[in-house]
Every structure is written in structure tokens, then in C-alpha cells.
Amino acid sequence: MNKFKAVFLSLIFVLLFLSDNIALADTGPKPTMDFEFKGLQEGELQIISGILYECEMSDCSDAAPLEELGPQGLYCDTMSCRATAYGFAPYHILEVEFSDEVTRQSNIFETAGFQSSYTVTIQPNDLLVEAQFSLKAFSSVNLFLIACVCALIIGVGIVVLVVFLVRRSRTK
């Protein structure tokens, strides 16, 4: 029985420390931007490629493309684009090349939140990017904290009500 335990514990040790699931140093959540395009029909106009320019200044006179570093970058398929970054600048311009061989550039838009969603309207010569309100803007950690604060407020309210009713009943 002791030999079986030793072999079993050795096997567990080897599986834990030599696992193929290598932990990477960069495992936390990253800010994202999801771009939903209005005016794309399957088989007609499609996205070829895209560039997301980041700007610190509101007029985007300092625009620079979002660098592709690890998971950071702008990734497009034929119908939508998604950007992931270690942190976004406050202002952006989206430039997309379409299957009609026209490259369109967007208006200047602001970062809407940690997980933001945008509607992109395709116009003949440019793009109009507008932020969408979504609960995705609240990360799961923020929603959890909001739920905890609400539960705490309700709990304190119940305790105050009970104390009030007990004191009131004693005075009668």
C-alpha cells in the first residue's frame, strides 16, 4: 500500500510541475474594442484589413498605429474587427480597407470603456464610428463589486430596521 501511495504521489507531482499548461506572465484581462459594421452583406462588401490609430491629443495630430505586441493588436475578419491592448489611448481613428478596393477612415472617437463596443457605419468615402452602450463595459470584477456593495447596503438596511423595531417594541 505504501508503494502505491508513493507512485501515486510521484505521478501527481510530475503532472503538476511538468504540465503542458504553462502559466504565462501576461494572463490578466485586457481592454478590448469590438467593431460591428453596418452595411456589410455576406458575399458583397467585405473587410480586407484594418489599422487602429491611437492618439493622446483630441485632434489626433499625434496618431500612431496600435502596435502588435503579444495579444495586442487589431484583428479583422470579413465582417467585423476586434482590438485588444495592454491599454488604449484616449482617442482613436479606424482605417479599414474593403473588398471594393476603397480604404475608408473614420471620425475621431474616444475609448468608451474597458470592454467597449462600437457601431461602424460604412459611408461612400469614410466611416462613422459610434460607441454602443453595453453591459460588457462593466468587467465581471466591477459587476461583482457592485453586487457586493448592494448586498451590504441591503444588509445594513435590514439590521437598522430590526434594531429600530426592537427598540420601538421595548418602549411600549
Side-chain angles (χ1 to χ4, degrees), residues 31-70:
T32 59
M33 292 182 174
D34 290 314
F35 298 97
E36 177 188 321
F37 288 77
K38 285 168 113 181
L40 286 180
Q41 287 80 32
E42 191 68 46
E44 292 180 21
L45 190 62
Q46 295 182 342
I47 298 169
I48 302 298
S49 65
I51 300 171
L52 181 65
Y53 292 96
E54 295 202 293
C55 319
E56 293 296 327
M57 300 176 71
S58 61
D59 65 354
C60 274
S61 58
D62 62 338
L66 177 66
E67 290 185 78
E68 290 192 21
L69 301 168

Side-chain angles (χ1 to χ4, degrees), residues 4-108:
F4 177 73
K5 270 187 179 176
V7 169
F8 182 72
L9 289 175
S10 297
L11 181 62
I12 296 293
F13 178 77
V14 168
L15 288 175
L16 287 175
F17 291 103
L18 299 178
S19 172
D20 64 342
N21 295 331
I22 297 171
L24 301 174
D26 185 20
T27 59
K30 311 280 177 295
T32 59
M33 292 182 174
D34 290 314
F35 298 97
E36 177 188 321
F37 288 77
K38 285 168 113 181
L40 286 180
Q41 287 80 32
E42 191 68 46
E44 292 180 21
L45 190 62
Q46 295 182 342
I47 298 169
I48 302 298
S49 65
I51 300 171
L52 181 65
Y53 292 96
E54 295 202 293
C55 319
E56 293 296 327
M57 300 176 71
S58 61
D59 65 354
C60 274
S61 58
D62 62 338
L66 177 66
E67 290 185 78
E68 290 192 21
L69 301 168
Q72 177 173 293
L74 178 71
Y75 306 98
C76 297
D77 58 29
T78 59
M79 303 296 287
S80 65
C81 292
R82 178 179 179 90
T84 302
Y86 292 106
F88 286 115
Y91 304 98
H92 309 276
I93 295 173
L94 181 65
E95 183 177 276
V96 179
E97 180 186 355
F98 293 93
S99 57
D100 63 357
E101 298 180 358
V102 175
T103 300
R104 295 171 176 89
Q105 197 172 63
S106 76
N107 56 309
I108 298 169

